[in-house]
Amino acid sequence: MMWTYVAAMPRDARRPGPFSLSAVLLVVTVFLSGCSVKRLAADVVGDALTGDSESFASDDDPDLIREAIPFGLKTIESFLASSPSHRGLLLSAAKGFTTYAYLLQDEADRLEEQDRGRARLLRARIKRLYLRGREYAFRGLELDHPRFESLLRRDQASVLAKTTGEDAPFLYWAGVSWGGALSAGSDDLALVSEAPLFAALVRRVVDVHERYEGGAAHEFLISYETSRPGGSAGLAREHFRRALALTDTPRASLFVALAEGLSIKEQHLDEFKALLERALAVDPDRESKGRLVNVLAQRRARWLLARIPELFLDIDHREVAP
């Protein structure tokens, strides 16, 4: 799906030793400036929290990660209460809530077949989580672009023109979380009307930092073009080709995105199966930081293959089993 790619958080945080000269200087600075010790602690711990998340991204158990994420999110939020402008914490919160929402959305899709009532309630929660992630992404954008969200709603072209490659992470996660909220709450007319806004955020990522997260913006736009009214199949395929060209190790989710978004829509079973077979052929261990994403996408690929009789109308003369 369009928001499945979850890469490692930034790893450039510096962690001085407990008795280093820089640490002593920091204490003196706090004393002289009257800076809040609580905020200082939040900044220091915040740097550590956002410095290394490979243990999540490299895990091969999506269910374990789904259960572990909430504690981390509440920890991040507690530090943001003391340090509300910490860029790393804001990005981690945007990524974290969006990722958690997607993991639950995958669960809701499976639950739909057994218990539609529970699935509906779960989707309502998922929508709130996506919007929470969007809020943190907008807060990150507003560090350098005051009133970004309100200005975006008035004149998107003007406000987006002021963004640069440095804004790409927040632009991407704002757009992806916003789009996720619509996917979970497709009956929300306000969100439907806002679709051009979140698409514009992700298209801006293509403009200013196309290689961000291995072309993740292109992967999002595959699903956007195949799901929006009047969407372009040609553009979806072009985004697919471009995303492939931007990485030496394609994500399994990229093949799933085109198969689920376009092959089903066009009732192209042969292409559907070929794409999902390519997804399953990806070696999750080839790149550790992408292991979780690939395992999750491959699980969805198997689920989709098992649903071929439901997804394709004319399969009597074809081999259904993958």
Side-chain angles (χ1 to χ4, degrees):
M1 297 292 288
M2 54 190 170
W3 35 84
T4 58
Y5 186 63
V6 186
M9 307 295 182
R11 304 187 63 190
D12 56 356
R14 297 180 180 178
R15 307 186 189 91
F19 301 108
S20 67
L21 181 61
S22 60
V24 175
L25 180 60
L26 198 57
V27 173
V28 174
T29 303
V30 171
F31 177 75
L32 292 176
S33 66
C35 178
S36 164
V37 174
K38 185 176 182 181
R39 177 166 182 169
L40 172 63
D43 286 341
V44 172
V45 178
D47 287 342
L49 283 173
T50 61
D52 189 356
S53 68
E54 280 203 29
S55 62
F56 276 60
S58 63
D59 204 285
D60 63 357
D61 189 338
D63 295 328
L64 175 64
I65 299 304
R66 185 191 64 218
E67 294 166 3
I69 284 178
F71 175 78
L73 290 176
K74 291 309 298 179
T75 301
I76 288 171
E77 286 191 318
S78 69
F79 284 108
L80 275 171
S82 299
S83 186
S85 298
H86 191 289
R87 195 177 300 269
L89 287 172
L90 289 170
L91 183 57
S92 292
K95 286 184 175 184
F97 276 104
T98 304
T99 300
Y100 183 47
Y102 178 76
L103 290 169
L104 291 179
Q105 189 167 7
D106 184 62
E107 178 183 338
D109 287 347
R110 299 167 187 277
L111 186 60
E112 189 82 33
E113 300 173 359
Q114 289 81 37
D115 192 333
R116 291 188 177 181
R118 281 182 59 199
R120 184 171 62 253
L121 291 174
L122 183 56
R123 291 188 195 283
R125 182 189 176 207
I126 291 165
K127 174 183 165 184
R128 294 194 300 270
L129 290 168
Y130 274 129
L131 292 176
R132 201 156 161 179
R134 182 188 68 171
E135 177 187 348
Y136 286 116
F138 275 138
R139 282 175 55 180
L141 285 164
E142 288 173 358
L143 294 176
D144 296 325
H145 307 281
R147 299 175 56 229
F148 180 90
E149 182 180 359
S150 61
L151 292 174
L152 177 72
R153 294 176 183 276
R154 295 181 191 177
D155 184 359
Q156 62 173 272
S158 177
V159 72
L160 287 176
K162 298 175 183 178
T163 58
T164 68
E166 293 183 357
D167 298 308
F170 286 117
L171 288 168
Y172 175 78
W173 290 100
V176 167
S177 56
W178 204 344
L182 175 57
S183 71
S186 56
D187 57 345
D188 186 328
L189 296 182
L191 285 174
V192 172
S193 68
E194 292 169 345
L197 292 177
F198 66 69
L201 291 172
V202 183
R203 288 195 183 108
R204 184 58 179 170
V205 177
V206 172
D207 293 338
V208 299
H209 190 358
E210 186 184 22
R211 292 184 177 276
Y212 176 69
E213 304 292 27
H218 284 291
E219 185 173 325
F220 174 95
L221 292 169
I222 292 171
S223 295
Y224 176 71
E225 286 297 335
T226 57
S227 61
R228 72 179 179 90
S232 168
L235 276 178
R237 293 189 185 280
E238 181 56 33
H239 285 302
F240 175 77
R241 286 190 290 270
R242 189 59 191 150
L244 276 180
L246 289 172
T247 177
D248 295 328
T249 56
R251 299 179 295 277
S253 58
L254 178 59
F255 303 110
V256 174
L258 189 65
E260 188 169 9
L262 192 58
S263 301
I264 295 175
K265 187 175 182 179
E266 294 183 342
Q267 289 292 284
H268 196 329
L269 178 59
D270 292 336
E271 178 188 67
F272 177 81
K273 292 169 66 176
L275 286 168
L276 295 184
E277 286 166 2
R278 289 182 72 181
L280 293 173
V282 171
D283 180 3
D285 297 323
R286 181 175 179 181
E287 189 175 6
S288 62
K289 70 178 183 179
R291 185 177 292 120
L292 178 65
V293 173
N294 285 321
V295 169
L296 185 62
Q298 289 175 338
R299 184 170 74 175
R300 190 165 186 87
R302 294 186 186 94
W303 178 67
L304 288 167
L305 286 168
R307 298 182 65 227
I308 284 177
E310 305 167 44
L311 300 174
F312 291 86
L313 300 178
D314 182 17
I315 59 171
D316 292 342
H317 63 289
R318 308 190 192 200
E319 181 183 357
V320 174

Tab-separated table of all heavy atoms in Angstrom, residues 141-182:
chain	number	residue	atom	x	y	z
A	141	LEU	N	6.542	20.950	10.016
A	141	LEU	CA	6.636	21.886	8.898
A	141	LEU	C	6.563	23.330	9.376
A	141	LEU	O	7.212	24.221	8.819
A	141	LEU	CB	5.519	21.615	7.887
A	141	LEU	CG	5.716	20.381	7.022
A	141	LEU	CD1	4.411	19.971	6.354
A	141	LEU	CD2	6.805	20.615	5.968
A	142	GLU	N	5.794	23.560	10.425
A	142	GLU	CA	5.604	24.929	10.904
A	142	GLU	C	6.795	25.454	11.694
A	142	GLU	O	6.837	26.650	12.031
A	142	GLU	CB	4.301	25.008	11.709
A	142	GLU	CG	3.095	24.902	10.782
A	142	GLU	CD	1.752	24.801	11.494
A	142	GLU	OE1	1.750	24.771	12.746
A	142	GLU	OE2	0.721	24.761	10.798
A	143	LEU	N	7.781	24.611	11.965
A	143	LEU	CA	9.011	25.104	12.591
A	143	LEU	C	9.710	26.098	11.674
A	143	LEU	O	10.263	27.104	12.125
A	143	LEU	CB	9.957	23.938	12.901
A	143	LEU	CG	9.488	22.923	13.950
A	143	LEU	CD1	10.499	21.783	14.065
A	143	LEU	CD2	9.285	23.590	15.305
A	144	ASP	N	9.708	25.802	10.377
A	144	ASP	CA	10.346	26.682	9.389
A	144	ASP	C	9.347	27.455	8.541
A	144	ASP	O	9.734	28.423	7.868
A	144	ASP	CB	11.255	25.866	8.463
A	144	ASP	CG	12.416	25.233	9.195
A	144	ASP	OD1	12.935	25.853	10.145
A	144	ASP	OD2	12.802	24.105	8.834
A	145	HIS	N	8.092	27.033	8.577
A	145	HIS	CA	7.057	27.670	7.753
A	145	HIS	C	5.827	27.947	8.624
A	145	HIS	O	4.873	27.154	8.638
A	145	HIS	CB	6.681	26.774	6.574
A	145	HIS	CG	7.841	26.325	5.744
A	145	HIS	ND1	8.441	27.124	4.796
A	145	HIS	CD2	8.544	25.144	5.751
A	145	HIS	CE1	9.446	26.469	4.238
A	145	HIS	NE2	9.529	25.274	4.802
A	146	PRO	N	5.848	29.038	9.381
A	146	PRO	CA	4.728	29.346	10.281
A	146	PRO	C	3.381	29.339	9.566
A	146	PRO	O	3.277	29.751	8.414
A	146	PRO	CB	5.072	30.755	10.792
A	146	PRO	CG	6.570	30.830	10.681
A	146	PRO	CD	6.914	30.049	9.442
A	147	ARG	N	2.389	28.793	10.258
A	147	ARG	CA	1.001	28.716	9.756
A	147	ARG	C	0.924	27.914	8.451
A	147	ARG	O	0.088	28.168	7.594
A	147	ARG	CB	0.441	30.126	9.547
A	147	ARG	CG	0.395	30.964	10.815
A	147	ARG	CD	-0.040	32.393	10.583
A	147	ARG	NE	-1.330	32.440	9.923
A	147	ARG	CZ	-1.573	33.189	8.844
A	147	ARG	NH1	-0.616	33.898	8.281
A	147	ARG	NH2	-2.783	33.203	8.314
A	148	PHE	N	1.769	26.923	8.335
A	148	PHE	CA	1.842	26.144	7.091
A	148	PHE	C	0.491	25.545	6.724
A	148	PHE	O	0.046	25.659	5.580
A	148	PHE	CB	2.882	25.033	7.227
A	148	PHE	CG	3.027	24.190	5.989
A	148	PHE	CD1	3.936	24.530	5.012
A	148	PHE	CD2	2.237	23.059	5.788
A	148	PHE	CE1	4.070	23.765	3.858
A	148	PHE	CE2	2.360	22.288	4.638
A	148	PHE	CZ	3.278	22.650	3.671
A	149	GLU	N	-0.170	24.889	7.673
A	149	GLU	CA	-1.425	24.200	7.338
A	149	GLU	C	-2.497	25.167	6.877
A	149	GLU	O	-3.175	24.931	5.857
A	149	GLU	CB	-1.921	23.386	8.528
A	149	GLU	CG	-3.208	22.621	8.196
A	149	GLU	CD	-3.743	21.796	9.358
A	149	GLU	OE1	-3.107	21.802	10.430
A	149	GLU	OE2	-4.805	21.155	9.182
A	150	SER	N	-2.683	26.249	7.612
A	150	SER	CA	-3.740	27.190	7.230
A	150	SER	C	-3.439	27.846	5.887
A	150	SER	O	-4.342	28.052	5.066
A	150	SER	CB	-3.922	28.259	8.317
A	150	SER	OG	-2.735	29.014	8.488
A	151	LEU	N	-2.175	28.159	5.645
A	151	LEU	CA	-1.806	28.760	4.360
A	151	LEU	C	-1.945	27.753	3.222
A	151	LEU	O	-2.318	28.122	2.097
A	151	LEU	CB	-0.378	29.290	4.427
A	151	LEU	CG	-0.154	30.492	5.356
A	151	LEU	CD1	1.326	30.827	5.437
A	151	LEU	CD2	-0.956	31.690	4.880
A	152	LEU	N	-1.660	26.481	3.510
A	152	LEU	CA	-1.807	25.432	2.493
A	152	LEU	C	-3.247	25.365	2.002
A	152	LEU	O	-3.507	25.180	0.806
A	152	LEU	CB	-1.395	24.085	3.078
A	152	LEU	CG	-1.556	22.859	2.166
A	152	LEU	CD1	-0.500	22.870	1.066
A	152	LEU	CD2	-1.455	21.567	2.979
A	153	ARG	N	-4.185	25.521	2.916
A	153	ARG	CA	-5.599	25.425	2.559
A	153	ARG	C	-6.066	26.644	1.758
A	153	ARG	O	-7.084	26.579	1.073
A	153	ARG	CB	-6.445	25.260	3.824
A	153	ARG	CG	-6.188	23.938	4.550
A	153	ARG	CD	-6.976	23.846	5.853
A	153	ARG	NE	-6.680	22.621	6.575
A	153	ARG	CZ	-7.254	21.450	6.348
A	153	ARG	NH1	-8.166	21.349	5.389
A	153	ARG	NH2	-6.935	20.383	7.061
A	154	ARG	N	-5.332	27.730	1.853
A	154	ARG	CA	-5.713	28.946	1.119
A	154	ARG	C	-5.059	29.019	-0.258
A	154	ARG	O	-5.683	29.408	-1.238
A	154	ARG	CB	-5.307	30.191	1.923
A	154	ARG	CG	-6.029	30.356	3.234
A	154	ARG	CD	-5.557	31.633	3.909
A	154	ARG	NE	-6.013	31.729	5.288
A	154	ARG	CZ	-5.685	32.712	6.114
A	154	ARG	NH1	-4.890	33.681	5.681
A	154	ARG	NH2	-6.128	32.723	7.356
A	155	ASP	N	-3.754	28.683	-0.291
A	155	ASP	CA	-3.007	28.826	-1.537
A	155	ASP	C	-1.881	27.796	-1.547
A	155	ASP	O	-0.734	28.094	-1.219
A	155	ASP	CB	-2.439	30.240	-1.649
A	155	ASP	CG	-1.723	30.498	-2.967
A	155	ASP	OD1	-1.652	29.562	-3.800
A	155	ASP	OD2	-1.219	31.622	-3.164
A	156	GLN	N	-2.212	26.567	-1.943
A	156	GLN	CA	-1.241	25.478	-1.846
A	156	GLN	C	-0.011	25.722	-2.709
A	156	GLN	O	1.117	25.419	-2.300
A	156	GLN	CB	-1.877	24.136	-2.195
A	156	GLN	CG	-2.402	24.024	-3.610
A	156	GLN	CD	-2.861	22.616	-3.919
A	156	GLN	OE1	-2.085	21.773	-4.343
A	156	GLN	NE2	-4.140	22.363	-3.699
A	157	ALA	N	-0.196	26.271	-3.888
A	157	ALA	CA	0.937	26.471	-4.792
A	157	ALA	C	1.967	27.408	-4.175
A	157	ALA	O	3.175	27.148	-4.225
A	157	ALA	CB	0.451	27.026	-6.127
A	158	SER	N	1.507	28.478	-3.574
A	158	SER	CA	2.411	29.463	-3.005
A	158	SER	C	3.171	28.923	-1.805
A	158	SER	O	4.397	29.085	-1.705
A	158	SER	CB	1.619	30.720	-2.602
A	158	SER	OG	2.470	31.658	-1.982
A	159	VAL	N	2.467	28.258	-0.905
A	159	VAL	CA	3.130	27.774	0.307
A	159	VAL	C	4.068	26.613	0.005
A	159	VAL	O	5.156	26.505	0.590
A	159	VAL	CB	2.088	27.390	1.388
A	159	VAL	CG1	1.346	26.113	1.014
A	159	VAL	CG2	2.763	27.229	2.744
A	160	LEU	N	3.709	25.755	-0.922
A	160	LEU	CA	4.575	24.626	-1.268
A	160	LEU	C	5.824	25.084	-2.012
A	160	LEU	O	6.884	24.467	-1.896
A	160	LEU	CB	3.804	23.605	-2.102
A	160	LEU	CG	2.762	22.782	-1.339
A	160	LEU	CD1	1.996	21.871	-2.289
A	160	LEU	CD2	3.424	21.957	-0.234
A	161	ALA	N	5.717	26.175	-2.754
A	161	ALA	CA	6.867	26.684	-3.501
A	161	ALA	C	7.994	27.120	-2.573
A	161	ALA	O	9.161	27.185	-2.981
A	161	ALA	CB	6.437	27.848	-4.387
A	162	LYS	N	7.680	27.396	-1.327
A	162	LYS	CA	8.685	27.841	-0.359
A	162	LYS	C	9.382	26.676	0.340
A	162	LYS	O	10.333	26.889	1.084
A	162	LYS	CB	8.030	28.749	0.684
A	162	LYS	CG	7.431	30.026	0.092
A	162	LYS	CD	6.698	30.830	1.156
A	162	LYS	CE	6.047	32.065	0.542
A	162	LYS	NZ	5.276	32.845	1.551
A	163	THR	N	8.911	25.475	0.116
A	163	THR	CA	9.524	24.318	0.777
A	163	THR	C	10.733	23.824	-0.021
A	163	THR	O	10.839	24.052	-1.225
A	163	THR	CB	8.512	23.168	0.934
A	163	THR	OG1	8.009	22.781	-0.361
A	163	THR	CG2	7.339	23.599	1.810
A	164	THR	N	11.629	23.131	0.688
A	164	THR	CA	12.863	22.635	0.069
A	164	THR	C	13.049	21.148	0.388
A	164	THR	O	12.215	20.539	1.072
A	164	THR	CB	14.072	23.409	0.603
A	164	THR	OG1	14.266	23.079	1.996
A	164	THR	CG2	13.875	24.910	0.463
A	165	GLY	N	14.154	20.614	-0.069
A	165	GLY	CA	14.447	19.216	0.197
A	165	GLY	C	14.526	18.897	1.675
A	165	GLY	O	14.245	17.765	2.093
A	166	GLU	N	14.910	19.869	2.489
A	166	GLU	CA	14.980	19.643	3.932
A	166	GLU	C	13.603	19.405	4.539
A	166	GLU	O	13.479	18.821	5.621
A	166	GLU	CB	15.658	20.834	4.615
A	166	GLU	CG	17.125	20.974	4.249
A	166	GLU	CD	17.795	22.105	4.994
A	166	GLU	OE1	17.080	22.813	5.748
A	166	GLU	OE2	19.008	22.291	4.846
A	167	ASP	N	12.565	19.852	3.859
A	167	ASP	CA	11.197	19.674	4.351
A	167	ASP	C	10.593	18.339	3.913
A	167	ASP	O	9.494	17.990	4.338
A	167	ASP	CB	10.290	20.805	3.835
A	167	ASP	CG	10.731	22.170	4.312
A	167	ASP	OD1	10.909	22.339	5.527
A	167	ASP	OD2	10.896	23.072	3.457
A	168	ALA	N	11.297	17.609	3.054
A	168	ALA	CA	10.734	16.392	2.463
A	168	ALA	C	10.180	15.402	3.488
A	168	ALA	O	9.084	14.869	3.293
A	168	ALA	CB	11.761	15.712	1.565
A	169	PRO	N	10.892	15.106	4.590
A	169	PRO	CA	10.335	14.129	5.542
A	169	PRO	C	8.971	14.536	6.084
A	169	PRO	O	8.048	13.717	6.116
A	169	PRO	CB	11.404	14.084	6.643
A	169	PRO	CG	12.671	14.470	5.955
A	169	PRO	CD	12.264	15.508	4.965
A	170	PHE	N	8.840	15.789	6.490
A	170	PHE	CA	7.559	16.233	7.043
A	170	PHE	C	6.486	16.337	5.960
A	170	PHE	O	5.314	16.028	6.195
A	170	PHE	CB	7.723	17.565	7.773
A	170	PHE	CG	8.411	17.451	9.102
A	170	PHE	CD1	9.628	18.077	9.327
A	170	PHE	CD2	7.856	16.702	10.133
A	170	PHE	CE1	10.270	17.968	10.555
A	170	PHE	CE2	8.485	16.581	11.366
A	170	PHE	CZ	9.702	17.218	11.576
A	171	LEU	N	6.874	16.775	4.765
A	171	LEU	CA	5.912	16.825	3.660
A	171	LEU	C	5.375	15.429	3.358
A	171	LEU	O	4.160	15.232	3.181
A	171	LEU	CB	6.582	17.392	2.405
A	171	LEU	CG	6.902	18.880	2.381
A	171	LEU	CD1	7.811	19.205	1.195
A	171	LEU	CD2	5.623	19.712	2.317
A	172	TYR	N	6.296	14.463	3.293
A	172	TYR	CA	5.897	13.099	2.958
A	172	TYR	C	4.962	12.516	4.008
A	172	TYR	O	3.881	11.997	3.672
A	172	TYR	CB	7.142	12.220	2.812
A	172	TYR	CG	6.808	10.763	2.579
A	172	TYR	CD1	6.396	10.319	1.330
A	172	TYR	CD2	6.861	9.843	3.618
A	172	TYR	CE1	6.068	8.992	1.110
A	172	TYR	CE2	6.533	8.510	3.408
A	172	TYR	CZ	6.140	8.091	2.158
A	172	TYR	OH	5.798	6.773	1.959
A	173	TRP	N	5.346	12.605	5.278
A	173	TRP	CA	4.525	11.972	6.311
A	173	TRP	C	3.221	12.712	6.564
A	173	TRP	O	2.218	12.098	6.941
A	173	TRP	CB	5.346	11.803	7.592
A	173	TRP	CG	6.393	10.754	7.393
A	173	TRP	CD1	7.715	10.942	7.115
A	173	TRP	CD2	6.197	9.337	7.384
A	173	TRP	NE1	8.355	9.736	6.932
A	173	TRP	CE2	7.453	8.734	7.085
A	173	TRP	CE3	5.095	8.513	7.596
A	173	TRP	CZ2	7.626	7.353	7.015
A	173	TRP	CZ3	5.261	7.138	7.519
A	173	TRP	CH2	6.507	6.576	7.228
A	174	ALA	N	3.199	14.016	6.295
A	174	ALA	CA	1.927	14.742	6.379
A	174	ALA	C	0.970	14.245	5.294
A	174	ALA	O	-0.211	13.982	5.550
A	174	ALA	CB	2.164	16.248	6.225
A	175	GLY	N	1.488	14.101	4.076
A	175	GLY	CA	0.647	13.639	2.979
A	175	GLY	C	0.192	12.204	3.146
A	175	GLY	O	-0.970	11.869	2.926
A	176	VAL	N	1.112	11.335	3.563
A	176	VAL	CA	0.791	9.912	3.706
A	176	VAL	C	-0.218	9.689	4.832
A	176	VAL	O	-1.170	8.914	4.685
A	176	VAL	CB	2.075	9.100	3.965
A	176	VAL	CG1	1.748	7.697	4.430
A	176	VAL	CG2	2.902	9.035	2.690
A	177	SER	N	-0.033	10.356	5.964
A	177	SER	CA	-0.968	10.183	7.078
A	177	SER	C	-2.346	10.737	6.717
A	177	SER	O	-3.374	10.150	7.077
A	177	SER	CB	-0.427	10.868	8.333
A	177	SER	OG	-0.161	12.234	8.092
A	178	TRP	N	-2.375	11.828	5.986
A	178	TRP	CA	-3.640	12.428	5.540
A	178	TRP	C	-4.353	11.478	4.582
A	178	TRP	O	-5.554	11.241	4.700
A	178	TRP	CB	-3.322	13.750	4.864
A	178	TRP	CG	-4.420	14.758	4.826
A	178	TRP	CD1	-5.752	14.550	5.039
A	178	TRP	CD2	-4.273	16.152	4.551
A	178	TRP	NE1	-6.441	15.737	4.909
A	178	TRP	CE2	-5.550	16.730	4.612
A	178	TRP	CE3	-3.183	16.960	4.254
A	178	TRP	CZ2	-5.765	18.104	4.384
A	178	TRP	CZ3	-3.389	18.321	4.034
A	178	TRP	CH2	-4.668	18.885	4.094
A	179	GLY	N	-3.597	10.930	3.647
A	179	GLY	CA	-4.191	9.958	2.729
A	179	GLY	C	-4.650	8.707	3.447
A	179	GLY	O	-5.682	8.121	3.103
A	180	GLY	N	-3.892	8.281	4.460
A	180	GLY	CA	-4.296	7.122	5.249
A	180	GLY	C	-5.617	7.349	5.959
A	180	GLY	O	-6.460	6.449	6.044
A	181	ALA	N	-5.801	8.559	6.481
A	181	ALA	CA	-7.054	8.877	7.157
A	181	ALA	C	-8.235	8.738	6.205
A	181	ALA	O	-9.302	8.227	6.575
A	181	ALA	CB	-6.999	10.294	7.726
A	182	LEU	N	-8.044	9.156	4.960
A	182	LEU	CA	-9.113	9.013	3.967
A	182	LEU	C	-9.365	7.544	3.650
A	182	LEU	O	-10.507	7.115	3.507
A	182	LEU	CB	-8.757	9.776	2.692
A	182	LEU	CG	-9.743	9.619	1.525
A	182	LEU	CD1	-11.149	10.042	1.924
A	182	LEU	CD2	-9.262	10.423	0.315
